Amino acid sequence: MGLLEGKKLLITGVLTDSSIAFHTARLAQQEGAEVVLSSFGRQMKLTQAFSRRLPTEAPVVELDVTSGEDLAALADRVREHVDGLDGVVHSIGFAPQSVMGGNFLSGEWPDVATAIEISAFSLKSLAVAAKPLMTSGGSLVGLTFDARYAWPVYDWMGVAKAAFEATNRYLARDLGPEGIRCNLVSAGPLRTTAAKSIPGFATMEDAWPQRAPLGWDQSNPEPAARAVAALLSDWFPATTGEIVHVDGGVHAMGQ
């Protein structure tokens, strides 16, 4: 019996087959889960194409996390494919390049607000939209990049991730009585679409393998995906508000 046998999961953010979200969906299916993906706009075709590369093609529902209409319709759209959810994966993030890549001091509020809404507030939006589907409790898992530090070039996305991590803690508080666990996986730098969109990201990733006691492969998202799958399973029944680091151990090392 698989780790996720019988689970019904909603996974956001499958835009390439090199992403943590894609590998989470693949592992989840291999471990017995039924998976629904979400996407929106021009990205829908990408998500549908990569869905066909999964062990079993997954349905894709429309969801723009900044759209009140989409959020209100999410439960009905998901119910067209499954009768409820046991887990949700938040793999959503965006910041305009004007507030990254060394532009912290010159960042303007409209662009910062966009980064915070999409990359942090959306965790609450998604949780509330999915909650009617999680009548028996379940697991919400998000992806972060250790927000305790001021990383080179990350700038306002780093601030958004700090807000994201705080949002997770408050969700853990408020959704715990509903039996919903809320946890994050903090992965080391990976050569994903999101990373490539950050000007100068190589300044963060180049030294990572040397600093990591276990080493670090920037081209392999599977270790992070396995952690997400584990948190979606029943093997962490009393864990919430947590951040699991999957970074080769860099988070525990001094400079």
Side-chain angles (χ1 to χ4, degrees):
M1 188 165 125
L3 187 68
L4 296 169
E5 194 71 34
K7 299 292 187 188
K8 297 166 186 176
L9 308 175
L10 174 66
I11 299 178
T12 67
V14 173
L15 297 176
T16 74
D17 57 4
S18 63
S19 67
I20 297 171
F22 175 86
H23 285 272
T24 298
R26 175 182 61 80
L27 286 169
Q29 287 185 343
Q30 290 173 350
E31 292 296 326
E34 192 171 352
V35 171
V36 177
L37 306 179
S38 76
S39 193
F40 74 100
R42 290 179 294 177
Q43 298 176 344
M44 282 285 286
K45 289 185 178 179
L46 281 174
T47 303
Q48 289 164 345
F50 287 110
S51 171
R52 291 191 285 272
R53 298 191 186 183
L54 293 170
T56 301
E57 183 175 354
V60 183
V61 299
E62 180 95 15
L63 176 63
D64 175 351
V65 290
T66 67
S67 165
E69 181 180 344
D70 279 3
L71 290 163
L74 179 65
D76 288 338
R77 291 172 182 174
V78 170
R79 284 193 188 102
E80 292 178 10
H81 306 285
V82 293
D83 58 6
L85 289 175
D86 303 291
V88 177
V89 176
H90 181 288
S91 179
I92 299 166
F94 172 77
Q97 291 197 353
S98 60
V99 296
M100 296 186 294
N103 294 317
F104 184 80
L105 293 178
S106 60
E108 299 288 341
W109 172 244
D111 288 343
V112 171
T114 295
I116 291 174
E117 179 182 15
I118 297 175
S119 306
F121 185 76
S122 65
L123 182 63
K124 190 279 296 186
S125 300
L126 180 60
V128 171
K131 183 172 172 284
L133 295 160
M134 304 178 77
T135 55
S136 299
S139 177
L140 172 67
V141 183
L143 299 172
T144 191
F145 188 75
D146 200 334
R148 295 174 299 167
Y149 306 108
W151 297 104
V153 309
Y154 212 41
D155 297 336
W156 284 102
M157 180 58 98
V159 176
K161 286 298 186 185
F164 182 74
E165 293 177 8
T167 300
N168 180 68
R169 291 189 287 271
Y170 281 94
L171 286 172
R173 181 195 69 182
D174 288 358
L175 295 179
E178 308 288 335
I180 299 173
R181 296 170 284 121
C182 304
N183 296 291
L184 304 180
V185 170
S186 179
L190 293 163
R191 294 185 183 129
T192 61
T193 300
K196 290 174 184 174
S197 70
I198 302 172
F201 188 76
T203 60
M204 279 201 287
E205 70 173 358
D206 286 350
W208 207 278
Q210 289 72 45
R211 294 183 59 208
L214 292 174
W216 183 250
D217 182 355
Q218 299 106 315
S219 65
N220 184 12
E222 182 154 337
R226 288 190 180 196
V228 175
L231 288 168
L232 289 167
S233 78
D234 294 330
W235 282 90
F236 286 86
T239 298
T240 196
E242 186 60 270
I243 301 175
V244 177
H245 290 83
V246 184
D247 62 359
V250 169
H251 74 282
M253 299 297 106
Q255 297 296 323

